[in-house]
Amino acid sequence: MSRIASVLIPMPLPEAFDYAEPDGMALAPGDQVAVPLGPRLIRGVVSEVRDGHGGNRPLKPVAERLDDPPLPPGTLEFVQWAARYAVDAPGQPLAIALRGARAPKPRPQRVVRPTGAQPARTTPARAKVLAAAAEADLSPADLARAAGVSSGVVKGLVEDGALAIHEVVAEAAFAPPDLTRQGPDLNPSQAAAAEALKAMATEGGFAVALLDGVTGSGKTEVYLEAAAAALTADPDAQVLILLPEIALTQAVIARVTQRFGAAPGEWHSDIAPPGRRRVWEAVAAGRCRIVVGARSALFLPFRKLRLIVVDEEHDSSFKQEEGFIYQARDLAVARGKIEEAAVVLASATPSLESLRNAEAGRYRWLRLAGRHGTARLPDIELIDLRETPPEQGRWLSPPLVAAMAETFARGEQTLLFLNRRGYAPLVLCKACGERMTAPDTDSWLVEHRYTGRLVCHLTGFSMPKPAACPHCGAKDSLVSIGPGVERVEEEARALFPEARVAVFSSDTVFDAREARRLVESMAAGEIDILVATQAAAKGHNFPKLTLVGVVDADLGLRGGDLRAAERTYQLLAQATGRAGRRDRPGRALLQTYAPEHAVMQALKAQDRDAFVDAEMAERELAGLPPFGRLAAVIASGSDAAQLDDFCRAMAQAAPNTPGVEVYGPADAPLGLVRGRRRKRFLVRADRGVDLSAYMAAWRARVRPPGAIRVAIDIDPYSFL
Ligand code: ADP
């Protein structure tokens, strides 16, 4: 009996393709195979094998089973689930899941080792080389350097047969975690939370807990206890810890390494391809038992995932907005269900979605009481910029500057928080009023002084800052409006010339190593004033940081989308929470033009519950998440008339379903990106509606012309 293999291909194709299984290949779901697609051979993954043949059209055979580990059943099921949820092609999440499998293997290194044979002639230089070679595997050049001799000496010993050259592949092993090590003694509220999590992680079965505690309350210590319990209970168990930012993965990797005496697998976009391959294979083989990573680590081929931690679970960076659009926190819960694993969502400012699930009893709610030990939460004060504005052309108000001066005088550190990269968010011509915008995109160009360029943060387009206005030709007429972190840095340097000032944003810190360096130097007290975007405002422990100044507390409230207030609250609570750990009391000053706003009042009173209650009531009234569901459709095309026609047809094709409302099409606020016009629909549905199924049905009714792209965003975070 011949058999058919359905093969998923990591490309945006609507479904798996069928191939004939060659005799004797004995394929199974999850196997990685090479299959012909058009003129090429391409890697795919078998999703199903069934009896049959292609009918009257013979199927092409699978070309080869690849010598790479198969995707475990849970990973394969998760990939398919994620595609259905996101209303996208299964090849999209599959491409993420195969990122490590497709990366090149680490290249073998040439090392020299002693053969045991005596050289024909012994000299002091030769003796030094042989001694060094006996100690470590080194390349010929490194060996010569280690022995302090010329490379000719090494070469001579190889020719003599006393040394031999070997090709070795860097050890793919991960040191196993040392589970005999103990964490710190937990305080009673930590111990209670840890016991609950340990039980969840060792009993097996799917369950979700919300670990809710202010910054510094010991959430990390508590979930590391649960990780230790899961790893101890089952020698094959694996643990995944997800973080929203690469910079934060570094801090948690250090904590994990310290706790378990072995480094975890590290996974994020900054890991070079051979390193990815190494982690991917070790995870698939079960040799890597702890992974710390960014959202795409969720797609790794775990064999026995027992515990998933989503740290800073409220963070909107868990939402992937491009390519395959997904919310990693929600998918983590889905993966936990598929793997029958425990899921821990940790945050000082949980998302309203998670709070709602905890209130409704769907998640176990574990609250930690206050900061650990003597550390206190900072005092939070509002600076009313209408009363004490900064001087003309400056951004730091007198009360903030005075607090910075006191802090500096005490030898303590200040963090100035401004969630805006670059020097100035807008450049305009004072002669004609022209705003500098990107040529093919509806967005202002942001001035970057370090590079002297104007940059579109949306598309990456950039150009040198022109000497004359491109519109009216006036010379030296371009002025920078508003502050970014670089401009605040300039002001801080001018105010405190003796202070050591640094900037932390994705422009100054672009890889994990640089992030680690800056975090370490801040932790070591080598920086007095750190000006930072959200990249540094979260999760770090800086013992000497006692003052946080929020330069523009109102920034996130402008242009208000669904989560503007929630996000502002979370971000500012996180940023202000950096102040004062250990035994030093901290202070946070928020510069605002709207001190009476509910968000500012809640921050000042440190009354999260009051803020959450008010926000929940509003959302419930409007039927918005977490009380209802949202999805967006973004249609784009370069021909405006064609796009309009298509959107009209799409509106008409929307299925009529009770509990679902479709709004649009409307011009997107970002109406033009990379030369393509954009239109949006917004869909609101009652909680009980399977919104993914609705969107899939709608999508199946329309056939966009080739030049029009349609993206579906389930649970949108951006409304631009
Ligand atoms: P969170 O993750 O909630 O911000 P952390 O786990 O990072 O909190 O804890 C904050 C600081 O307090 C860390 O330096 C941590 O090591 C320390 N800490 C927390 N709990 C304890 C404890 N029970 N014993 C000793 N140190 C603790």
Side-chain angles (χ1 to χ4, degrees), residues 87 151 276 654:
V87 197
S151 59
R276 274 189 217 170

Side-chain angles (χ1 to χ4, degrees), residues 133-341:
E135 259 175 39
D137 274 352
L138 297 172
S139 70
D142 286 345
L143 178 58
R145 209 166 304 131
V149 303
S150 76
S151 59
V153 183
V154 175
K155 200 160 159 246
L157 284 166
V158 172
E159 281 163 4
D160 263 15
L163 289 176
I165 294 187
H166 298 260
E167 300 239 313
V168 297
V169 176
E171 187 49 76
F174 280 80
D178 177 357
L179 300 170
T180 61
R181 291 195 181 207
Q182 297 292 320
D185 289 337
L186 299 181
N187 67 35
S189 114
Q190 292 173 340
E195 283 313 310
L197 292 186
K198 274 154 71 175
M200 274 171 51
T202 53
E203 276 162 11
F206 168 65
V208 187
L210 176 61
L211 182 59
D212 177 358
V214 295
T215 48
S217 57
K219 297 183 294 296
T220 311
E221 299 293 352
V222 169
Y223 71 64
L224 289 180
E225 278 306 294
L231 296 170
T232 308
D234 179 343
D236 295 327
Q238 293 172 302
V239 172
L240 168 64
I241 302 174
L242 288 180
L243 290 134
E245 307 248 349
I246 294 179
L248 281 182
T249 58
Q250 301 308 302
V252 172
I253 285 167
R255 297 274 292 267
V256 169
T257 308
Q258 197 184 19
R259 176 71 176 75
F260 296 109
E266 177 175 355
W267 185 268
H268 47 71
S269 57
D270 208 31
I271 301 288
R276 274 189 217 170
R277 172 89 177 216
R278 173 171 171 263
V279 173
W280 197 92
E281 288 189 346
V283 169
R287 281 184 280 115
C288 177
R289 299 190 65 201
I290 311 177
V291 174
V292 176
R295 58 193 173 214
S296 60
L298 201 49
F299 292 85
L300 282 169
F302 291 98
R303 283 158 61 107
K304 206 167 192 190
L305 190 55
R306 294 280 57 135
L307 174 67
I308 306 175
V309 178
V310 184
D311 200 352
E312 311 287 353
E313 68 90 34
H314 63 277
D315 196 300
S316 52
S317 303
F318 280 121
K319 182 73 197 268
Q320 161 79 30
E321 309 264 27
E322 292 209 338
F324 183 60
I325 301 176
Y326 66 97
Q327 160 54 281
R329 183 219 318 134
D330 295 346
L331 289 198
V333 172
R335 178 133 203 199
K337 194 160 189 187
I338 289 170
E339 305 282 353
E340 298 189 359

Side-chain angles (χ1 to χ4, degrees), residues 266-480:
E266 177 175 355
W267 185 268
H268 47 71
S269 57
D270 208 31
I271 301 288
R276 274 189 217 170
R277 172 89 177 216
R278 173 171 171 263
V279 173
W280 197 92
E281 288 189 346
V283 169
R287 281 184 280 115
C288 177
R289 299 190 65 201
I290 311 177
V291 174
V292 176
R295 58 193 173 214
S296 60
L298 201 49
F299 292 85
L300 282 169
F302 291 98
R303 283 158 61 107
K304 206 167 192 190
L305 190 55
R306 294 280 57 135
L307 174 67
I308 306 175
V309 178
V310 184
D311 200 352
E312 311 287 353
E313 68 90 34
H314 63 277
D315 196 300
S316 52
S317 303
F318 280 121
K319 182 73 197 268
Q320 161 79 30
E321 309 264 27
E322 292 209 338
F324 183 60
I325 301 176
Y326 66 97
Q327 160 54 281
R329 183 219 318 134
D330 295 346
L331 289 198
V333 172
R335 178 133 203 199
K337 194 160 189 187
I338 289 170
E339 305 282 353
E340 298 189 359
V343 181
V344 178
L345 309 178
S347 175
T349 51
S351 61
L352 293 198
E353 282 80 357
S354 297
L355 284 170
R356 181 73 199 113
N357 281 324
E359 276 169 8
R362 287 186 285 269
Y363 295 172
R364 179 134 189 205
W365 196 350
L366 304 169
R367 295 191 86 153
L368 297 180
R371 284 195 163 175
H372 177 71
T374 51
R376 283 193 300 126
L377 277 174
D379 291 326
I380 297 182
E381 297 154 46
L382 304 178
I383 297 178
D384 187 340
L385 289 178
R386 294 167 307 190
E387 280 173 15
T388 50
E391 286 170 36
Q392 181 72 28
R394 303 242 169 194
W395 314 100
L396 305 175
S397 64
L400 179 53
V401 174
M404 289 171 69
E406 284 165 28
T407 307
F408 183 51
R410 278 199 304 272
E412 295 172 354
Q413 296 169 309
T414 296
L415 173 74
L416 291 178
F417 175 70
L418 176 63
N419 208 13
R420 217 189 236 153
R421 293 161 48 198
Y423 184 82
L426 168 65
V427 175
L428 62 72
C429 170
K430 63 181 182 224
C432 71
E434 174 79 0
R435 293 165 178 205
M436 300 291 291
T437 55
D440 60 350
T441 300
D442 266 353
S443 74
W444 293 346
L445 290 175
V446 176
E447 180 178 1
H448 286 245
R449 281 268 161 107
Y450 285 149
T451 54
R453 297 183 80 83
L454 304 182
V455 182
C456 172
H457 284 180
L458 216 67
T459 64
F461 165 86
S462 78
M463 60 188 251
K465 187 178 176 187
C469 171
H471 191 63
C472 72
K475 282 219 159 33
D476 295 325
S477 67
L478 296 179
V479 288
S480 316

